[in-house]
Coordinates of all heavy atoms in Angstrom, one line a residue:
M742 N 36.5 96.3 150.4 CA 35.0 96.7 150.2 C 34.9 98.0 149.4 O 35.4 99.0 149.8 CB 34.4 96.9 151.6 CG 32.9 97.3 151.5 SD 32.1 97.1 152.9 CE 32.4 98.6 153.8
P743 N 34.1 97.9 148.3 CA 33.9 99.1 147.6 C 33.0 100.2 148.2 O 32.1 99.8 149.0 CB 33.2 98.6 146.2 CG 32.8 97.3 146.5 CD 33.6 96.7 147.7
I744 N 33.2 101.4 148.0 CA 32.4 102.4 148.6 C 31.0 102.6 147.9 O 31.0 102.5 146.6 CB 33.1 103.8 148.7 CG1 34.5 103.6 149.4 CG2 32.3 104.9 149.1 CD1 35.0 104.7 150.0
D745 N 29.9 102.5 148.5 CA 28.7 102.7 148.0 C 28.1 104.1 148.3 O 27.9 104.5 149.4 CB 27.7 101.8 148.6 CG 26.2 101.8 148.0 OD1 26.0 102.8 147.2 OD2 25.5 100.9 148.3
G746 N 28.2 105.1 147.3 CA 27.8 106.4 147.4 C 26.4 106.6 148.0 O 26.2 107.6 148.6
Q747 N 25.5 105.7 147.8 CA 24.2 105.9 148.3 C 24.2 105.9 149.8 O 23.3 106.6 150.3 CB 23.3 104.6 147.9 CG 23.1 104.5 146.3 CD 22.3 105.6 145.8 OE1 21.3 106.1 146.5 NE2 22.7 106.1 144.7
H748 N 25.0 105.4 150.6 CA 25.1 105.6 152.1 C 25.5 106.9 152.4 O 25.1 107.3 153.5 CB 26.1 104.4 152.5 CG 25.6 103.0 152.5 ND1 24.6 102.5 153.2 CD2 26.1 102.1 151.6 CE1 24.4 101.2 153.0 NE2 25.3 100.9 151.9
F749 N 26.0 107.7 151.6 CA 26.5 109.0 151.9 C 25.6 110.1 151.4 O 25.8 111.3 151.8 CB 27.9 109.2 151.5 CG 28.9 108.3 152.0 CD1 29.3 107.2 151.2 CD2 29.4 108.4 153.2 CE1 30.2 106.3 151.8 CE2 30.3 107.5 153.8 CZ 30.8 106.4 153.1
Q750 N 24.6 109.8 150.7 CA 23.6 110.7 150.1 C 23.1 111.7 151.0 O 23.1 112.9 150.9 CB 22.6 110.2 149.3 CG 23.0 109.4 148.0 CD 23.3 110.4 146.9 OE1 22.6 111.4 146.9 NE2 24.1 110.1 146.0
K751 N 22.6 111.2 152.2 CA 21.9 112.1 153.2 C 22.6 112.1 154.5 O 22.0 112.2 155.5 CB 20.4 111.5 153.3 CG 19.6 111.6 152.0 CD 18.2 111.2 152.3 CE 17.5 111.4 151.1 NZ 16.0 110.8 151.3
F752 N 23.9 112.0 154.5 CA 24.7 111.9 155.7 C 25.8 112.9 155.6 O 26.6 112.9 154.6 CB 25.2 110.5 156.0 CG 25.8 110.3 157.2 CD1 25.0 109.9 158.3 CD2 27.1 110.5 157.5 CE1 25.5 109.8 159.6 CE2 27.7 110.3 158.8 CZ 26.9 110.0 159.9
D753 N 26.0 113.8 156.6 CA 27.0 114.7 156.7 C 28.2 114.1 157.4 O 28.2 113.9 158.6 CB 26.4 116.0 157.4 CG 27.5 117.1 157.6 OD1 28.6 117.0 157.1 OD2 27.2 118.0 158.4
L754 N 29.2 114.0 156.7 CA 30.5 113.4 157.3 C 31.1 114.1 158.3 O 31.8 113.7 159.2 CB 31.5 113.0 156.1 CG 31.1 111.9 155.2 CD1 32.1 111.7 154.1 CD2 30.9 110.6 156.0
N755 N 30.9 115.6 158.3 CA 31.3 116.4 159.2 C 30.8 116.2 160.7 O 31.4 116.3 161.7 CB 31.1 117.8 158.9 CG 32.1 118.3 157.8 OD1 33.2 118.0 157.8 ND2 31.5 119.1 156.8
S756 N 29.6 115.5 160.7 CA 28.9 115.2 161.9 C 29.7 114.1 162.6 O 29.8 114.1 163.8 CB 27.5 114.6 161.7 OG 27.5 113.5 161.0
L757 N 30.5 113.3 161.9 CA 31.4 112.3 162.5 C 32.6 113.0 163.2 O 33.0 112.5 164.3 CB 31.8 111.3 161.5 CG 30.7 110.5 160.9 CD1 31.2 109.6 159.8 CD2 29.8 109.7 161.9
V758 N 33.1 113.9 162.7 CA 34.2 114.8 163.2 C 33.6 115.4 164.6 O 34.2 115.3 165.6 CB 34.6 115.9 162.3 CG1 35.7 116.7 163.1 CG2 35.3 115.2 161.1
T759 N 32.4 115.9 164.6 CA 31.9 116.4 165.8 C 31.7 115.4 166.8 O 32.0 115.6 168.0 CB 30.5 117.0 165.4 OG1 30.6 118.0 164.5 CG2 29.8 117.7 166.7
F760 N 31.2 114.2 166.4 CA 31.0 113.0 167.3 C 32.3 112.8 167.9 O 32.4 112.5 169.2 CB 30.4 111.8 166.6 CG 30.6 110.5 167.3 CD1 29.5 110.3 168.3 CD2 31.7 109.8 167.1 CE1 29.7 109.0 169.0 CE2 31.8 108.6 167.8 CZ 30.8 108.2 168.7
L761 N 33.4 112.6 167.1 CA 34.6 112.2 167.7 C 35.3 113.3 168.7 O 35.9 113.0 169.6 CB 35.8 111.9 166.7 CG 35.4 110.5 165.9 CD1 36.5 110.3 164.7 CD2 35.6 109.4 167.0
M762 N 34.8 114.6 168.4 CA 35.4 115.6 169.3 C 34.7 115.6 170.6 O 35.3 115.8 171.6 CB 35.2 117.0 168.6 CG 36.1 117.4 167.5 SD 37.9 117.4 168.1 CE 38.6 115.9 167.6
V763 N 33.4 115.3 170.6 CA 32.7 115.1 171.9 C 33.3 114.0 172.6 O 33.5 113.9 173.8 CB 31.2 114.9 171.6 CG1 30.4 114.6 172.9 CG2 30.6 116.2 170.9
Y764 N 33.5 112.8 171.9 CA 34.2 111.6 172.5 C 35.5 111.9 173.1 O 35.8 111.6 174.2 CB 34.2 110.5 171.5 CG 34.8 109.2 171.9 CD1 34.0 108.3 172.5 CD2 36.2 109.0 171.7 CE1 34.5 107.1 173.1 CE2 36.8 107.8 172.2 CZ 36.0 106.9 172.9 OH 36.4 105.6 173.3
Q765 N 36.3 112.6 172.3 CA 37.7 112.9 172.7 C 37.7 113.9 174.0 O 38.5 113.7 174.8 CB 38.4 113.5 171.5 CG 39.9 113.9 171.7 CD 40.4 114.5 170.5 OE1 40.6 113.7 169.5 NE2 40.9 115.8 170.5
E766 N 36.9 114.9 173.8 CA 37.0 116.0 174.8 C 36.1 115.7 176.0 O 36.2 116.2 177.1 CB 36.4 117.3 174.2 CG 37.4 117.7 173.1 CD 38.7 118.1 173.6 OE1 38.9 118.6 174.7 OE2 39.7 117.8 172.8
G767 N 35.1 114.7 176.0 CA 34.3 114.3 177.0 C 33.3 115.3 177.4 O 32.7 115.2 178.5
G768 N 33.0 116.1 176.5 CA 31.8 117.1 176.7 C 31.5 117.9 175.4 O 32.3 118.0 174.6
V769 N 30.2 118.3 175.5 CA 29.7 119.0 174.4 C 30.3 120.5 174.3 O 30.7 120.9 173.2 CB 28.2 119.1 174.4 CG1 27.6 120.0 173.3 CG2 27.5 117.7 174.4
S770 N 30.3 121.1 175.5 CA 30.9 122.4 175.4 C 32.4 122.5 175.0 O 32.8 123.3 174.2 CB 30.8 123.1 176.8 OG 29.4 123.2 177.1
K771 N 33.1 121.6 175.6 CA 34.5 121.4 175.2 C 34.7 121.2 173.7 O 35.7 121.7 173.0 CB 35.2 120.4 176.0 CG 35.5 120.7 177.5 CD 36.2 119.6 178.2 CE 36.4 120.0 179.6 NZ 37.1 118.9 180.3
A772 N 33.9 120.3 173.2 CA 34.0 120.0 171.8 C 33.7 121.2 170.9 O 34.4 121.5 169.9 CB 33.0 118.7 171.3
A773 N 32.7 121.9 171.3 CA 32.2 123.1 170.6 C 33.3 124.1 170.6 O 33.7 124.7 169.5 CB 31.0 123.8 171.3
H774 N 34.1 124.3 171.7 CA 35.2 125.2 171.7 C 36.4 124.8 170.8 O 36.9 125.5 170.1 CB 35.7 125.3 173.1 CG 36.9 126.1 173.4 ND1 36.8 127.6 173.4 CD2 38.3 125.8 173.5 CE1 38.0 128.0 173.4 NE2 39.0 127.1 173.6
V775 N 36.6 123.5 170.8 CA 37.8 123.0 169.9 C 37.3 123.2 168.4 O 38.1 123.6 167.6 CB 38.0 121.5 170.2 CG1 38.8 120.8 169.1 CG2 38.6 121.4 171.6
L776 N 36.0 123.0 168.1 CA 35.5 123.1 166.7 C 35.2 124.5 166.3 O 34.9 124.7 165.2 CB 34.3 122.2 166.5 CG 34.4 120.6 166.7 CD1 33.2 120.0 166.8 CD2 35.3 120.1 165.6
N777 N 35.3 125.4 167.4 CA 35.1 126.8 167.1 C 33.5 127.0 166.6 O 33.2 127.6 165.7 CB 36.0 127.4 166.2 CG 35.9 129.0 166.2 OD1 35.7 129.5 167.3 ND2 36.3 129.5 165.1
V778 N 32.6 126.3 167.2 CA 31.2 126.4 166.9 C 30.5 126.5 168.3 O 31.1 126.5 169.3 CB 30.7 125.2 166.1 CG1 31.4 125.1 164.8 CG2 30.8 123.9 167.0
T779 N 29.1 126.8 168.1 CA 28.4 127.0 169.5 C 28.1 125.5 170.0 O 28.0 124.6 169.3 CB 27.1 127.7 169.2 OG1 26.3 127.0 168.4 CG2 27.4 129.1 168.6
Q780 N 27.8 125.7 171.3 CA 27.3 124.4 172.0 C 26.0 123.8 171.4 O 25.9 122.7 171.2 CB 27.2 124.7 173.5 CG 26.8 123.4 174.4 CD 25.4 123.3 174.5 OE1 24.6 124.3 174.5 NE2 24.9 122.2 174.6
P781 N 25.0 124.8 171.1 CA 23.8 124.3 170.5 C 24.1 123.6 169.1 O 23.3 122.7 168.8 CB 22.9 125.5 170.3 CG 23.4 126.4 171.4 CD 24.9 126.2 171.5
A782 N 25.1 124.1 168.4 CA 25.4 123.4 167.1 C 25.8 122.1 167.3 O 25.4 121.2 166.6 CB 26.4 124.2 166.3
V783 N 26.6 121.8 168.3 CA 27.1 120.5 168.6 C 25.9 119.6 169.1 O 25.9 118.5 168.7 CB 28.3 120.5 169.6 CG1 28.7 119.0 170.1 CG2 29.5 121.3 169.0
S784 N 25.1 120.1 169.9 CA 24.0 119.4 170.5 C 23.1 119.0 169.4 O 22.6 117.9 169.3 CB 23.2 120.2 171.5 OG 24.0 120.4 172.6
N785 N 22.8 119.9 168.3 CA 22.1 119.5 167.2 C 22.6 118.4 166.4 O 21.9 117.6 166.0 CB 21.8 120.9 166.3 CG 20.9 120.7 165.1 OD1 19.9 120.1 165.4 ND2 21.3 121.2 163.9
V786 N 24.0 118.4 166.1 CA 24.5 117.4 165.4 C 24.4 116.0 166.2 O 23.9 115.0 165.5 CB 26.1 117.7 165.1 CG1 26.8 116.4 164.7 CG2 26.2 118.8 164.2
L787 N 24.6 116.1 167.5 CA 24.4 114.9 168.3 C 23.1 114.3 168.2 O 22.9 113.2 168.2 CB 24.9 115.1 169.7 CG 26.3 115.2 170.0 CD1 26.6 115.5 171.4 CD2 27.1 113.9 169.6
S788 N 22.0 115.2 168.2 CA 20.6 114.9 168.1 C 20.4 114.1 166.9 O 19.7 113.0 167.0 CB 19.7 116.1 168.3 OG 18.4 115.7 168.1
K789 N 20.9 114.6 165.8 CA 20.7 113.9 164.6 C 21.4 112.5 164.5 O 20.9 111.5 164.0 CB 21.3 114.7 163.3 CG 20.4 116.0 163.1 CD 21.0 116.8 162.1 CE 20.1 118.1 161.9 NZ 20.8 119.0 160.9
L790 N 22.7 112.4 165.1 CA 23.3 111.2 165.1 C 22.6 110.2 166.1 O 22.5 109.0 165.8 CB 24.8 111.4 165.6 CG 25.7 112.2 164.6 CD1 27.0 112.4 165.3 CD2 25.8 111.2 163.3
R791 N 22.0 110.6 167.1 CA 21.3 109.8 168.0 C 20.2 109.0 167.3 O 19.9 107.9 167.4 CB 20.8 110.5 169.2 CG 21.8 110.9 170.2 CD 21.1 111.7 171.4 NE 22.2 112.1 172.4 CZ 22.6 113.3 172.5 NH1 22.1 114.3 172.0 NH2 23.6 113.5 173.4
K792 N 19.5 109.9 166.4 CA 18.4 109.3 165.7 C 19.0 108.3 164.6 O 18.4 107.3 164.4 CB 17.5 110.4 165.0 CG 16.7 111.2 165.9 CD 16.1 112.4 165.3 CE 15.4 113.3 166.2 NZ 15.0 114.5 165.7
R793 N 19.9 108.7 164.1 CA 20.5 107.9 162.9 C 21.0 106.5 163.5 O 20.8 105.5 162.8 CB 21.7 108.6 162.3 CG 22.6 107.9 161.3 CD 21.7 107.8 160.0 NE 22.6 107.2 159.1 CZ 22.5 107.4 157.7 NH1 21.4 108.1 157.3 NH2 23.2 106.7 156.8
F794 N 21.7 106.5 164.7 CA 22.3 105.3 165.2 C 21.3 104.7 166.1 O 21.7 103.6 166.9 CB 23.6 105.7 165.9 CG 24.6 106.0 164.8 CD1 25.3 107.2 164.9 CD2 25.1 105.2 163.7 CE1 26.4 107.6 164.0 CE2 26.1 105.5 162.9 CZ 26.7 106.7 163.0
D795 N 20.2 105.3 166.4 CA 19.2 104.7 167.5 C 19.9 104.4 168.8 O 19.7 103.3 169.3 CB 18.5 103.5 166.8 CG 17.3 103.1 167.6 OD1 16.6 104.0 168.2 OD2 17.0 101.8 167.6
D796 N 20.6 105.4 169.3 CA 21.3 105.2 170.6 C 21.6 106.6 171.1 O 21.8 107.5 170.4 CB 22.7 104.6 170.3 CG 23.4 104.1 171.6 OD1 23.0 103.1 172.0 OD2 24.2 104.9 172.0
P797 N 21.5 106.8 172.4 CA 21.8 108.1 173.1 C 23.3 108.5 172.8 O 23.5 109.7 173.0 CB 21.5 107.9 174.5 CG 21.4 106.4 174.7 CD 21.1 105.8 173.4
L798 N 24.1 107.7 172.5 CA 25.5 107.9 172.3 C 26.4 108.4 173.5 O 27.4 107.9 173.8 CB 25.7 108.8 171.1 CG 25.1 108.3 169.8 CD1 25.4 109.5 168.7 CD2 25.9 107.0 169.2
F799 N 25.8 109.4 174.2 CA 26.5 109.9 175.4 C 25.6 110.1 176.5 O 24.5 110.6 176.2 CB 27.2 111.3 175.1 CG 28.3 111.1 174.0 CD1 28.1 111.5 172.7 CD2 29.6 110.6 174.3 CE1 29.0 111.3 171.6 CE2 30.7 110.5 173.3 CZ 30.2 110.8 172.1
V800 N 26.0 109.8 177.7 CA 25.1 110.0 178.9 C 25.8 111.0 179.8 O 27.0 111.0 180.1 CB 25.0 108.6 179.6 CG1 24.2 108.6 181.0 CG2 24.6 107.4 178.8
P801 N 24.9 112.0 180.2 CA 25.5 112.9 181.1 C 26.2 112.3 182.4 O 25.5 111.4 182.9 CB 24.3 113.9 181.4 CG 23.3 113.7 180.3 CD 23.5 112.1 179.9
C802 N 27.3 112.9 182.8 CA 27.9 112.3 184.1 C 28.6 113.6 184.6 O 29.8 113.8 184.3 CB 29.0 111.2 183.5 SG 29.6 110.4 185.0
G803 N 27.9 114.3 185.5 CA 28.4 115.6 186.0 C 28.6 116.6 184.9 O 27.7 116.9 184.0
R804 N 29.8 117.2 184.8 CA 30.1 118.2 183.8 C 30.6 117.5 182.4 O 31.0 118.2 181.6 CB 31.2 119.1 184.3 CG 30.6 120.0 185.3 CD 31.6 121.0 185.7 NE 31.1 122.0 186.5 CZ 31.6 123.2 186.8 NH1 32.7 123.5 186.3 NH2 31.0 124.1 187.5
H805 N 30.7 116.2 182.4 CA 31.2 115.4 181.3 C 30.1 114.6 180.7 O 29.0 114.5 181.2 CB 32.4 114.6 181.8 CG 33.5 115.4 182.4 ND1 34.3 116.3 181.7 CD2 33.9 115.5 183.7 CE1 35.2 116.8 182.4 NE2 34.9 116.5 183.7
V806 N 30.5 113.9 179.7 CA 29.6 112.9 179.2 C 30.2 111.5 179.0 O 31.5 111.6 178.9 CB 29.0 113.3 177.8 CG1 28.0 114.5 177.9 CG2 30.1 113.6 176.7
R807 N 29.6 110.5 179.2 CA 30.2 109.2 179.2 C 29.6 108.6 177.9 O 28.4 108.4 177.7 CB 29.9 108.3 180.5 CG 30.4 107.0 180.4 CD 30.1 106.4 181.8 NE 28.7 106.4 182.3 CZ 27.7 105.8 182.0 NH1 27.9 104.8 181.1 NH2 26.5 106.0 182.4
P808 N 30.5 108.0 177.0 CA 29.9 107.2 175.9 C 29.3 106.0 176.2 O 29.6 105.2 177.1 CB 31.1 107.0 175.0 CG 32.3 107.1 176.0 CD 31.9 107.9 177.1
T809 N 28.2 105.6 175.4 CA 27.5 104.3 175.5 C 28.4 103.3 174.8 O 29.4 103.6 174.2 CB 26.1 104.5 174.8 OG1 26.4 104.7 173.3 CG2 25.2 105.5 175.4
T810 N 28.0 102.2 175.0 CA 28.7 101.0 174.3 C 28.7 101.2 172.9 O 29.9 101.0 172.2 CB 28.0 99.7 174.7 OG1 28.0 99.5 176.2 CG2 28.8 98.5 174.1
K811 N 27.6 101.6 172.2 CA 27.7 101.9 170.8 C 28.6 103.0 170.4 O 29.3 102.8 169.5 CB 26.3 102.1 170.4 CG 26.1 102.2 168.9 CD 24.6 102.2 168.5 CE 24.3 101.3 167.2 NZ 23.0 101.2 166.9
A812 N 28.5 104.1 171.2 CA 29.5 105.2 171.0 C 30.9 104.8 171.0 O 31.7 105.2 170.2 CB 29.2 106.4 171.9
E813 N 31.2 103.9 172.0 CA 32.6 103.4 172.1 C 33.0 102.7 170.9 O 34.1 102.9 170.3 CB 32.8 102.5 173.3 CG 32.8 103.2 174.7 CD 34.1 103.8 175.0 OE1 35.1 103.6 174.2 OE2 34.3 104.4 176.0
W814 N 32.1 101.8 170.3 CA 32.4 101.1 169.2 C 32.6 101.9 168.0 O 33.5 101.7 167.2 CB 31.2 100.1 168.9 CG 31.4 99.2 167.7 CD1 32.2 98.2 167.5 CD2 30.8 99.7 166.4 NE1 32.2 97.7 166.1 CE2 31.3 98.6 165.6 CE3 29.9 100.5 165.9 CZ2 30.9 98.6 164.1 CZ3 29.5 100.5 164.7 CH2 30.0 99.5 163.8
I815 N 31.7 102.9 167.8 CA 31.7 103.8 166.6 C 33.1 104.6 166.7 O 33.8 104.7 165.6 CB 30.6 104.8 166.7 CG1 29.3 104.1 166.4 CG2 30.8 106.0 165.6 CD1 28.0 104.9 166.6
A816 N 33.5 105.1 167.9 CA 34.7 105.9 168.0 C 35.9 105.1 167.7 O 36.8 105.5 167.0 CB 34.7 106.5 169.4
Q817 N 35.9 103.8 168.2 CA 37.0 102.9 168.1 C 37.3 102.5 166.6 O 38.4 102.5 166.1 CB 37.0 101.7 169.1 CG 37.0 102.1 170.5 CD 38.2 102.9 170.9 OE1 39.4 102.6 170.5 NE2 38.1 103.8 171.8
T818 N 36.1 102.5 166.0 CA 36.2 102.0 164.5 C 36.5 103.2 163.7 O 37.2 103.1 162.6 CB 34.8 101.4 164.2 OG1 34.5 100.2 165.0 CG2 34.8 100.8 162.8
L819 N 35.9 104.3 164.0 CA 35.9 105.4 163.1 C 37.3 106.2 163.3 O 37.8 106.8 162.2 CB 34.7 106.4 163.4 CG 34.5 107.6 162.6 CD1 34.3 107.2 161.1 CD2 33.3 108.4 163.1
A820 N 37.8 106.5 164.5 CA 39.0 107.2 164.7 C 40.2 106.9 163.7 O 40.7 107.9 163.3 CB 39.3 107.2 166.1
P821 N 40.6 105.6 163.6 CA 41.7 105.4 162.7 C 41.5 105.8 161.3 O 42.4 106.5 160.7 CB 41.8 103.8 162.8 CG 41.2 103.5 164.1 CD 40.1 104.4 164.3
A822 N 40.3 105.8 160.9 CA 40.0 106.2 159.4 C 40.1 107.6 159.3 O 40.7 108.3 158.4 CB 38.6 105.7 159.0
L823 N 39.6 108.4 160.3 CA 39.6 109.8 160.2 C 41.0 110.3 160.6 O 41.5 111.4 160.0 CB 38.7 110.5 161.3 CG 37.2 110.4 160.7 CD1 36.3 111.1 161.7 CD2 37.0 110.8 159.3
V824 N 41.8 109.6 161.3 CA 43.3 110.1 161.4 C 43.9 109.9 160.0 O 44.8 110.9 159.7 CB 44.0 109.2 162.4 CG1 45.6 109.4 162.4 CG2 43.4 109.6 163.9
I825 N 43.6 108.9 159.3 CA 44.3 108.8 158.0 C 43.8 109.9 157.1 O 44.6 110.5 156.4 CB 43.9 107.5 157.4 CG1 44.6 106.3 158.1 CG2 44.3 107.5 155.8 CD1 44.1 104.9 157.7
V826 N 42.5 110.2 157.0 CA 41.9 111.4 156.3 C 42.6 112.6 156.7 O 43.1 113.5 155.8 CB 40.5 111.5 156.5 CG1 39.9 112.7 155.7 CG2 39.8 110.2 155.8
Q827 N 42.8 112.8 158.0 CA 43.3 114.1 158.6 C 44.8 114.2 158.0 O 45.3 115.3 157.6 CB 43.4 114.1 160.1 CG 44.1 115.2 160.7 CD 44.1 115.0 162.3 OE1 43.1 115.4 162.8 NE2 45.0 114.4 162.8
T828 N 45.6 113.1 158.0 CA 47.0 113.1 157.6 C 47.0 113.5 156.1 O 47.9 114.4 155.7 CB 47.7 111.7 157.8 OG1 47.5 111.4 159.2 CG2 49.0 111.7 157.3
I829 N 46.1 112.9 155.3 CA 46.1 113.2 153.9 C 45.9 114.7 153.7 O 46.5 115.4 152.9 CB 45.1 112.3 153.1 CG1 45.5 110.9 153.2 CG2 44.9 113.0 151.7 CD1 44.5 110.0 152.8
I830 N 44.9 115.2 154.4 CA 44.5 116.7 154.2 C 45.7 117.5 154.7 O 45.9 118.6 154.0 CB 43.4 117.0 155.1 CG1 42.0 116.3 154.4 CG2 43.1 118.6 155.2 CD1 40.9 116.4 155.3
A831 N 46.3 117.2 155.8 CA 47.5 118.0 156.2 C 48.6 118.0 155.4 O 49.2 119.0 155.1 CB 47.9 117.5 157.7
E832 N 48.9 116.8 154.8 CA 50.1 116.7 153.9 C 49.8 117.5 152.7 O 50.7 118.1 152.0 CB 50.4 115.2 153.5 CG 51.1 114.6 154.8 CD 51.2 113.0 154.5 OE1 51.0 112.5 153.5 OE2 51.7 112.4 155.5
S833 N 48.5 117.3 152.1 CA 48.1 118.1 150.9 C 48.3 119.6 151.2 O 48.7 120.3 150.3 CB 46.8 117.7 150.5 OG 46.3 118.5 149.4
A834 N 47.9 120.0 152.3 CA 48.0 121.5 152.6 C 49.5 122.0 152.7 O 49.8 123.1 152.3 CB 47.2 121.8 153.9
E835 N 50.2 121.1 153.2 CA 51.8 121.5 153.2 C 52.4 121.4 151.9 O 53.2 122.3 151.6 CB 52.5 120.4 154.1 CG 52.3 120.5 155.5 CD 52.9 119.4 156.5 OE1 53.8 118.7 155.8 OE2 52.4 119.3 157.5
E836 N 51.9 120.7 151.0 CA 52.4 120.7 149.6 C 52.1 121.9 148.7 O 52.7 122.4 147.9 CB 52.0 119.4 148.9 CG 52.7 118.1 149.4 CD 52.0 116.9 148.7 OE1 51.1 117.1 147.8 OE2 52.5 115.7 149.1
E837 N 50.9 122.5 149.2 CA 50.4 123.6 148.5 C 51.1 124.9 148.8 O 51.0 126.0 148.2 CB 48.9 123.7 148.7 CG 48.2 122.7 148.1 CD 46.6 122.8 148.4 OE1 46.2 123.6 149.1 OE2 45.8 121.9 148.0
R838 N 51.8 124.9 150.1 CA 52.5 126.1 150.6 C 53.6 126.4 149.6 O 54.4 125.5 149.2 CB 52.9 125.9 152.0 CG 51.7 125.9 153.0 CD 52.3 125.8 154.3 NE 51.1 125.5 155.2 CZ 51.2 124.8 156.3 NH1 52.4 124.4 156.8 NH2 50.2 124.6 157.1
P839 N 53.9 127.7 149.4 CA 55.1 128.1 148.5 C 56.4 127.9 149.3 O 56.5 127.8 150.4 CB 54.8 129.5 148.2 CG 53.8 130.1 149.1 CD 53.0 128.8 149.7

């Protein structure tokens, strides 16, 4: 499937990394710590993604969050692609070292 740049015009791909960190860490504060950003910054990104995907994405569950069905689907679909991107970035960084 060819990539359509129009879909990315008004979408911050970094928000998907934030989403996956919340999913992986099971909480907004933990994700913020891993990403080295503030908790309100992560909450702001999630708010935008909730509107974009028309879904709450995560439901509070004590000190953690539980992904919705849609969030599960997004994470399971997205994670393999971002792992590939991460590998490419990491390998490129290693090649640049003297």
Side-chain angles (χ1 to χ4, degrees):
M742 172 167 87
I744 298 204
D745 182 351
Q747 294 295 320
H748 289 288
F749 298 101
Q750 289 280 328
K751 295 181 181 179
F752 192 86
D753 179 8
L754 292 176
N755 286 319
S756 66
L757 298 176
V758 174
T759 300
F760 165 84
L761 282 176
M762 285 297 101
V763 174
Y764 180 84
Q765 179 178 295
E766 297 298 322
V769 173
S770 295
K771 288 181 182 181
H774 178 74
V775 170
L776 293 166
N777 198 30
V778 298
T779 64
Q780 182 271 332
V783 173
S784 293
N785 185 43
V786 168
L787 286 179
S788 176
K789 291 176 183 177
L790 288 174
R791 287 180 179 114
K792 290 176 188 168
R793 176 74 174 202
F794 293 120
D795 192 29
D796 189 84
L798 299 176
F799 298 99
V800 179
C802 187
R804 290 184 167 196
H805 303 287
V806 293
R807 182 175 42 82
T809 64
T810 302
K811 189 172 219 171
E813 284 282 356
W814 176 81
I815 293 168
Q817 297 302 318
T818 305
L819 187 61
L823 285 186
V824 167
I825 293 168
V826 172
Q827 175 180 276
T828 301
I829 292 168
I830 292 168
E832 288 176 2
S833 173
E835 288 176 13
E836 290 174 3
E837 291 176 2
R838 292 186 191 148

